[in-house]
Amino acid sequence: MFLAIKEMKKEKARFILIISIFILISYLVYFLVGLANGLAVDNRTAVDKWDASHVILADGSNKNISSSMIDKDQLEKDLQGLDYYLVNLSRSAAYKNGSKDEIDTIDISLIGIEESSKYFPEIIEGKLPSKEKDAVASLSLKLEEGMEIGDELKLSMNGSVYKIVGFTEDYKYNVSPVIYTKLADASAASIIYSPVEKDSETSQKSSSKSGQDIDTKSGPTPGTPERVSAGLVKLSESDRSKIKSLDEKYELITKEDFIKEIPGYYAQLLTFGLMIIFLIVISAIVLGVFLYIVTIQKKDIFGIMKIQGISNQYISKSVVIQTFLVSFIGLALGLLLTYATEYFLPVSVPFRSNINYYLFITIIMIITSQLGAIFSVKSVSGIDPLEVI
């Protein structure tokens, strides 16, 4: 320990350079892991909030909620006696406060849940939806887009206007911020059909001129059963018979499988995962080989120490301790630099630190550095003092 620290104090410039290499390599790995984790989380935070074990989709929807439409009354009948709730999910572009400038046009996801449900997201500012087209917005709309309570979002698809009456946590679906509304206000029918009165009046005028009686009412055909995107239900192993009956009638999947089927999520996860794994392995090998070379370069010094009567055990212990100190200091500073960068990054950058991932990477790099030191120690132990002389 004494020899290791004394050498580091004496050769400050050399060890600062070595530690700097550790800082830069670890910072690169930590930062890319944070970006990959941020993108993954932004795909699924809204779904993670769903308090359910299984998701019920329409048969033949291919595990895609955007392709699912289920008869609401029939689904409620089939789920009677179970702990469940219904959701609608739609996606659209929207204009902030009616402005059609490109900078004020954003992609959003609409999730409809009964506002009286205990599963409606917790309000952190404002109130629950009470009127038609009221919405509770994800906090990201406030932090990233500067929206406030009372602001409006006008859907580009049909002109529907949603008024923000509250904010909830930073929930996103498929990297788009979420707004929560009443169940019916997020249905596919309410998004597809245009409620704009001006269009309706124009159609009425044209129909009267042609002498034809045309129904210009916007929305689904009267008498069409109300439909929902999915049902969320809590099922345990004891509900096997119910699971089987639901699976025969609908597409019943676990919440984890549903998350994997979010468009682009799994492919993105695999791509970034493989890239980061290779980066970690290559970085760890580079650090281990680098420390091996640095130690071998001191072969003559170790030979002179042997002539002075210093044992192989003492030299080996000194090299291992020195390697640990250098790698630990470099990795710790790289981690601190990563957290400092996260603090100054714009909120629009999808970066999320994960201490568990960072600890795993740190341990891997320390182990490979120690292996490099151990292999170099074996070479040093075989040095003949006479050859050095």
Side-chain angles (χ1 to χ4, degrees), residues 17-86:
L17 181 62
I18 296 171
I19 291 172
S20 297
I21 292 171
F22 269 87
I23 292 172
L24 293 175
I25 291 177
S26 61
Y27 176 60
L28 173 64
V29 176
Y30 293 145
F31 190 79
L32 287 177
V33 168
L35 282 176
N37 185 50
L39 283 170
V41 168
D42 279 357
N43 269 286
R44 56 179 288 174
T45 44
V47 179
D48 288 334
K49 172 63 182 175
W50 290 353
D51 189 10
S53 63
H54 290 74
V55 179
I56 298 173
L57 302 173
D59 190 29
S61 61
N62 196 29
K63 299 181 182 179
N64 187 346
I65 195 169
S66 299
S67 306
S68 174
M69 293 183 71
I70 309 174
D71 187 318
K72 178 175 178 288
D73 294 335
Q74 183 61 50
L75 182 58
E76 288 181 327
K77 182 179 178 181
D78 292 334
L79 296 178
Q80 192 172 5
L82 296 173
D83 186 4
Y84 76 94
Y85 62 106
L86 307 180

Side-chain angles (χ1 to χ4, degrees), residues 49 111 113-130 134-139 142 149 163-171 178-182:
K49 172 63 182 175
I111 296 182
I113 302 175
E114 292 292 352
E115 70 277 7
S116 58
S117 170
K118 65 179 180 179
Y119 299 112
F120 200 91
E122 183 180 354
I123 306 298
I124 60 175
E125 182 182 347
K127 61 180 182 178
L128 286 168
S130 57
D134 279 355
V136 172
S138 166
L139 193 60
K142 181 177 183 177
I149 291 175
K163 182 180 179 181
I164 296 176
V165 296
F167 287 101
T168 183
E169 296 292 339
D170 186 10
Y171 296 125
V178 171
I179 64 169
Y180 291 90
T181 70
K182 292 184 175 183

